[in-house]
Amino acid sequence: MDFALSDEHRMLKELVARFVQDELMPLEAGVLAREADGKGLGIGAADNARLDEVSKSLGLWGLDAPEDVGGVDLPAVAMVGVNEELGKTITPYTLPPDSPNLRMLAATVNERQREAYLAPYVRGETISAIGISEPGAGADPAGMLTRADRDGDDWVINGRKIWITRAEEADFTILMAVTNKEKGARGGMSAFLVDKGTPGFNVLRKIPMIGGQATYEVALEDCRVEGWKLLGEEGNGFAPMQLRLGTRRIEMASWSIGMAQRALDMICEYAPQRKTFGLPLSERQAIQWWVADAATRIHAARLMTYDCAWKLDQGRDVRVEISMIKGYATEMAWEVVDRAMQTFGAMGMTKELPLQLMANRLRTMRIYDGPTEVHKWVVARNLMGSRR
C-alpha cells in the first residue's frame, strides 16, 4: 500500500502550486474588491486570457482529457493533487477544459461528436454547461419532467432547467431530458448537445447566488435538436450523468481540502501574532484545539479522497466513497473556515480577507451536486441494503 504520489504526479502538484502562488493569488485583491462592489465574482477577460496563455505554456491544459484529442489522460489520483492546490485560491479560474463535462463527453461521443464537440473543448476553444436540475427536481433526477420527443430524424425538447452555471455564455449545453416516461431514470433518460443560439433554448434569468456567483434558469420551448446530437445511446443518459457528477464531487472534495488547508495556515500564522489579555492566541487552548482538530480532519479527508480516486482508477464501483468524501470534505472545510473567521475576530467578518469568499463557496458546495443529507442517505442505504 503506497501513500505517496508518483514523482511525476508530485511534480505536477508542485507546478500547479507555483501557478496558484505566482499567477492566481496576486489577483485576489482585485477579486475581493469587485465582489465587495457588487460586480460579481470574476477576473476580467484580459486576466483570463493571460492566465490561459501561462497555464497552456506550462502544459496544464487537458490534464485528464483523452490523448487521442490532445489531452494528457492523467488518472484521478493525479487530479486530486491538482485540484487541492487550485482550491487554495479564491481567484475563479479553471484549467481548460472543465473536467466533469469533459468526462461525460469522452465516455459517450461518437466520431462526429468527437470532432465537433470534444476536440474543440479539449483545445480550450469552447465553453460548456450542463442542464440537469429543474424547479421541481433538484437532487432527485427521477423527478425530471423535461421531455424530448422524436420528430422525424430530430428531437424536440420542452421543459424547464434551473441552476445552470454559464448557461448564457456556453457554446453548448449538455441537456438531460426524459425520452421514455415509463422507464424514467432507469432507461428512459437521455442527453443532448444543444448549441448556443438554438431556437427554443431560452435563458429566462440570471440568478444571483451568494459570494458573487450566479446561475441561470432556462426554458425549452419546442427546442429542435438534430438527431446526431443525441449524446450516447437513447435512454442511457443516467450513467454518463452520474460519471459527470462523480467527477465534480471528487473535485469538490479536493477543493475543500485546499480551502481548509489555507484557512488552517492562516490561523497558524495569525494566532502567535495576536494577543488578547496579555497572551497570544496561540497560547489559548480553544485555538490549539481548533488547530489540532482541523489538521486531523484535513488529513482524514485527504486520505479518503486519494483512496476514492485510486479505487476509481482501478475501475472499482466508488459510488459510496464519492458520497462519503463529498459530504465529509465540504462539511469539514466549512467548519475549519468558520473557525478561521472566528480566530480573526472582526477582521474575519470583513470582505478584505479571502475567508468570506471561501465560506460562501463552501456553503454552496454543501448543496451543489447533491446536498450533504442526500449523500449520507446514499451511504446509509447502501450499507443497510448490503446487510439485508
Side-chain angles (χ1 to χ4, degrees):
M1 188 175 293
D2 192 349
F3 287 96
L5 288 173
S6 68
D7 288 344
E8 177 188 359
H9 298 158
R10 176 182 54 78
M11 289 188 291
L12 172 63
K13 185 175 185 291
E14 292 171 354
L15 176 62
V16 175
R18 290 197 299 273
F19 174 72
V20 169
Q21 185 67 42
D22 297 343
E23 304 296 338
L24 300 185
M25 286 191 177
L27 299 177
E28 288 191 344
V31 172
L32 289 166
R34 279 188 292 273
E35 193 277 329
D37 288 341
K39 298 177 182 177
L41 195 66
I43 55 176
D47 280 327
N48 198 84
R50 184 183 60 80
L51 291 174
D52 279 349
E53 184 178 345
V54 172
S55 59
K56 189 173 186 178
S57 70
L58 292 173
L60 296 178
W61 282 29
L63 293 177
D64 55 345
E67 290 183 350
D68 60 3
V69 285
V72 186
D73 204 15
L74 288 177
V77 164
M79 295 305 296
V80 171
V82 168
N83 286 307
E84 179 181 341
E85 296 302 328
L86 290 172
K88 293 179 180 178
T89 180
I90 58 164
T91 299
Y93 178 74
T94 301
L95 294 171
D98 192 28
S99 293
N101 290 354
L102 164 72
R103 288 290 189 179
M104 186 173 180
L105 288 170
T108 51
V109 292
N110 56 34
E111 285 305 312
R112 185 175 180 182
Q113 293 166 346
R114 180 182 299 272
E115 293 303 315
Y117 290 94
L118 180 59
Y121 191 52
V122 172
R123 293 194 297 266
E125 298 170 1
T126 56
I127 299 171
S128 72
I130 189 163
I132 301 174
S133 295
E134 298 181 2
D140 180 16
M144 189 177 297
L145 298 177
T146 297
R147 287 185 54 83
D149 299 299
R150 284 188 179 276
D151 185 12
D153 293 332
D154 299 340
W155 293 88
V156 177
I157 306 176
N158 284 280
R160 188 73 61 92
K161 295 292 181 181
I162 200 168
W163 317 126
I164 304 178
T165 306
R166 298 186 299 273
E168 195 165 53
E169 60 264 32
D171 298 287
F172 66 93
T173 297
I174 301 172
L175 194 86
M176 305 303 301
V178 175
T179 48
N180 186 314
K181 187 176 181 180
E182 286 68 33
K183 293 182 178 180
R186 299 179 180 273
M189 186 181 296
S190 303
F192 298 88
L193 296 162
V194 183
D195 297 327
K196 183 177 184 179
T198 299
F201 183 87
N202 303 314
V203 178
L204 297 182
R205 61 181 176 128
K206 182 177 182 179
I207 307 171
M209 313 294 285
I210 62 174
Q213 302 175 80
T215 60
Y216 295 87
E217 184 176 6
V218 172
L220 291 306
E221 299 173 345
D222 291 331
C223 180
R224 181 173 294 273
V225 177
E226 296 174 86
W228 71 274
K229 294 180 182 179
L230 170 70
L231 184 60
E233 299 178 1
E234 179 184 345
N236 290 335
F238 187 80
M241 181 186 73
Q242 289 300 317
L243 171 63
R244 186 263 175 207
L245 291 172
T247 303
R248 179 66 86 202
R249 289 161 181 164
I250 295 177
E251 277 189 339
M252 285 183 168
S254 305
W255 293 337
S256 297
I257 294 164
M259 280 186 270
Q261 185 64 61
R262 184 174 181 189
L264 175 58
D265 292 343
M266 290 175 69
I267 295 175
C268 291
E269 181 180 357
Y270 178 73
Q273 302 173 20
R274 174 78 167 103
K275 288 187 176 182
T276 60
F277 305 100
L279 286 175
L281 285 178
S282 57
E283 295 297 318
R284 304 293 182 188
Q285 188 180 68
I287 304 298
Q288 293 172 349
W289 283 17
W290 288 353
V291 167
D293 287 345
T296 302
R297 297 182 68 194
I298 291 169
H299 183 56
R302 185 178 286 121
L303 290 176
M304 288 170 62
T305 304
Y306 274 115
D307 171 74
C308 178
W310 179 80
K311 289 176 179 175
L312 181 63
D313 289 332
Q314 300 301 310
R316 301 191 191 182
D317 183 349
V318 292
R319 284 173 291 183
V320 171
E321 286 88 342
I322 284 177
S323 283
M324 286 178 174
I325 64 171
K326 199 278 182 178
Y328 181 80
T330 54
E331 295 290 341
M332 174 278 295
W334 165 259
E335 292 183 18
V336 173
V337 170
D338 185 67
R339 294 301 193 194
M341 296 175 81
Q342 195 77 1
T343 301
F344 275 82
M347 181 57 70
M349 302 300 103
T350 70
K351 291 198 170 187
E352 295 180 358
L353 290 183
L355 291 170
Q356 52 93 13
L357 284 184
M358 292 162 64
N360 281 325
R361 187 182 186 194
L362 286 162
R363 190 63 190 86
T364 61
M365 284 166 52
R366 292 169 63 208
I367 294 289
Y368 286 173
D369 290 86
T372 300
E373 293 76 15
V374 169
H375 286 291
K376 287 183 177 180
W377 173 63
V378 169
V379 174
R381 182 184 61 181
N382 277 273
L383 288 174
M384 291 188 286
S386 65
R387 289 174 183 170
R388 285 199 299 270

